[in-house]
Amino acid sequence: MTAMVKAEGVHKSFGPVQVLKGIDLEVAPREVFCLIGPSGSGKSTFLRCINHLEKVNSGRLYVDGELVGYRQKGDKLYELKDREVAEKRRDIGMVFQRFNLFPHMTALENVIEAPVQVKGESKAVARERALKLLDRVGLADKAANYPSQLSGGQQQRVAIARALAMEPKLMLFDEPTSALDPELVGDVLDVMRGLAEDGMTMIVVTHEMGFAREVGDSVVFMDDGVVVESGHPREVLTNPRHERTKSFLSKVL
């Protein structure tokens, strides 16, 4: 079975600062893969490399068996044109820490926009799916509301519906609850839990250890640009092998 995501020796630097120092990992189809670790450990950068929002300096990243951002001929890699990258990116949904909704559009219009503009779908088809998705994230009654009329948690759920509207095969979540008030976190995690139950492949950068333990199939602890420890959530979170993991978990659990 082809891995949904495969990283081989992925390095990424910003100027002289090495952020990723050789990441090797695999994410199976339908897997919920949680990335944990301190701020600045490279988790979000790695996530952004998966859909080529950041270019890797060396190593290889594959999504569903295809190289991300490059084409290989012989031993050489050739960077794909922006249009080709954008086409591949359609298959990958991304939900950011900040919701990044269009403020001048209603919730419904935010969800419809990409399928119509990028995929060329008819507005009627896109609208029908968008209404179903808003219902799925518990916001059927907020379709006509603008982002400013929604709570942070509601905006984040619209952002999830917007990502799902492109019918992605992979969803990336970059700390989707960290900008929310604590009482709003549960609703967003419930939506993510539902996606996991439906078999969506998900990579989640999160500080929500309860979610990682309950919903995650694998947990990877990253620190200083490397994978320190990985395994089943119960193993890593309950019985970590490395001192660095123990130290981090003692502060967050």
Side-chain angles (χ1 to χ4, degrees):
M1 183 171 60
T2 305
M4 182 58 79
V5 177
K6 186 175 186 182
E8 296 175 345
V10 170
H11 286 77
K12 172 67 186 172
S13 299
F14 294 103
V17 181
Q18 260 198 311
V19 181
L20 300 176
K21 303 172 182 174
I23 301 292
D24 295 290
L25 52 79
E26 276 192 32
V27 181
R30 303 175 71 88
E31 184 172 8
V32 179
F33 192 92
C34 295
L35 285 171
I36 64 170
S39 296
S41 57
K43 307 180 302 294
S44 295
T45 298
F46 178 67
L47 214 60
R48 291 171 68 84
C49 289
I50 293 171
N51 65 0
H52 209 55
L53 286 173
E54 300 289 355
K55 297 173 187 176
V56 304
N57 296 114
S58 64
R60 288 171 195 210
L61 261 171
Y62 299 87
V63 170
D64 205 13
E66 292 192 14
L67 259 178
V68 173
Y70 299 91
R71 178 184 297 111
Q72 185 164 353
K73 279 188 185 167
D75 293 338
K76 286 204 166 158
L77 291 182
Y78 297 90
E79 192 162 356
L80 296 178
K81 295 187 172 71
D82 288 349
R83 183 176 49 78
E84 295 171 290
V85 171
E87 243 165 60
K88 295 259 198 290
R89 205 178 274 148
R90 288 178 184 186
D91 294 331
I92 304 173
M94 184 146 186
V95 177
F96 299 88
Q97 202 169 345
R98 297 277 166 197
F99 328 118
N100 295 354
L101 297 177
F102 297 115
H104 61 291
M105 292 182 181
T106 63
L108 184 65
E109 287 165 346
N110 264 285
V111 179
I112 287 171
E113 181 73 1
V116 171
Q117 297 298 334
V118 179
K119 279 188 167 177
E121 265 183 21
S122 76
K123 276 207 164 156
V125 169
R127 178 187 163 82
E128 192 180 333
R129 189 188 311 112
L131 287 168
K132 281 182 187 157
L133 287 168
L134 287 172
D135 185 41
R136 181 178 181 179
V137 299
L139 293 173
D141 59 335
K142 302 290 185 189
N145 288 44
Y146 288 91
S148 60
Q149 299 168 312
L150 301 172
S151 72
Q154 289 169 335
Q155 289 185 60
Q156 192 60 296
R157 284 184 278 153
V158 172
I160 293 172
R162 178 179 61 180
L164 292 172
M166 291 295 281
E167 301 181 303
K169 54 188 170 188
L170 169 66
M171 284 283 282
L172 308 176
F173 291 88
D174 190 6
E175 297 191 22
T177 57
S178 64
L180 302 179
D181 292 334
E183 71 268 22
L184 302 176
V185 167
D187 292 337
V188 173
L189 293 180
D190 283 345
V191 169
M192 293 169 65
R193 213 173 261 116
L195 289 179
E197 284 163 8
D198 290 347
M200 174 63 76
T201 311
M202 296 158 60
I203 303 181
V204 185
V205 172
T206 186
H207 293 298
E208 300 291 339
M209 297 301 150
F211 176 85
R213 187 188 288 111
E214 289 163 46
V215 185
D217 297 303
S218 303
V219 167
V220 162
F221 172 65
M222 280 178 69
D223 188 31
D224 198 26
V226 298
V227 171
V228 176
E229 187 161 352
S230 63
H232 190 277
R234 275 194 291 278
E235 282 169 32
V236 176
L237 298 177
T238 314
N239 197 15
R241 297 188 302 277
H242 291 264
E243 284 307 319
R244 184 67 193 89
T245 320
K246 286 177 189 169
S247 161
F248 172 75
L249 291 172
S250 72
K251 296 184 180 78
V252 297
L253 286 177

